[in-house]
Amino acid sequence: MKITSGQLRAARAFLRWTAQDVADAARLGVATVRRAELQDGPLSVTEANAEAIRRALEAAGLEFIPENGGGPGVRLRDRTEG
């Protein structure tokens, strides 16, 4: 699933992570993360970097919600799920 810059900003807020925290978790440069957040819509980075960011945030406990008529979103994953 592709995520948007708004979802990335919301994910950072949920986790109380800085752009540097995301960069470290995704093993990317902080400039890449900041660039990803600049424009509304899909992340403005390469597909590989967008995937690294998404995976790092999911590993931290987030779940991305696709566009379903109410707009894309993010939520904390249910810790009771296997």
Side-chain angles (χ1 to χ4, degrees), residues 1-50:
M1 173 187 168
K2 293 183 180 181
I3 65 171
T4 67
S5 58
Q7 285 175 300
L8 172 54
R9 290 188 300 270
R12 286 204 311 112
F14 262 122
L15 296 173
R16 295 184 179 182
W17 278 14
T18 65
Q20 185 66 60
D21 294 329
V22 175
D24 291 345
R27 297 182 180 174
L28 298 171
V30 69
T32 300
V33 174
R34 288 186 179 134
R35 185 172 53 252
E37 293 183 333
L38 283 178
Q39 297 177 343
D40 287 334
L43 299 184
S44 57
V45 295
T46 67
E47 191 71 32
N49 288 347

Side-chain angles (χ1 to χ4, degrees), residues 58 61-65 75-82:
E58 287 176 341
L62 295 179
E63 180 179 0
F64 292 96
I65 304 164
R75 65 181 168 212
L76 293 172
R77 187 173 44 244
D78 184 353
R79 303 275 185 199
T80 61
E81 290 181 8

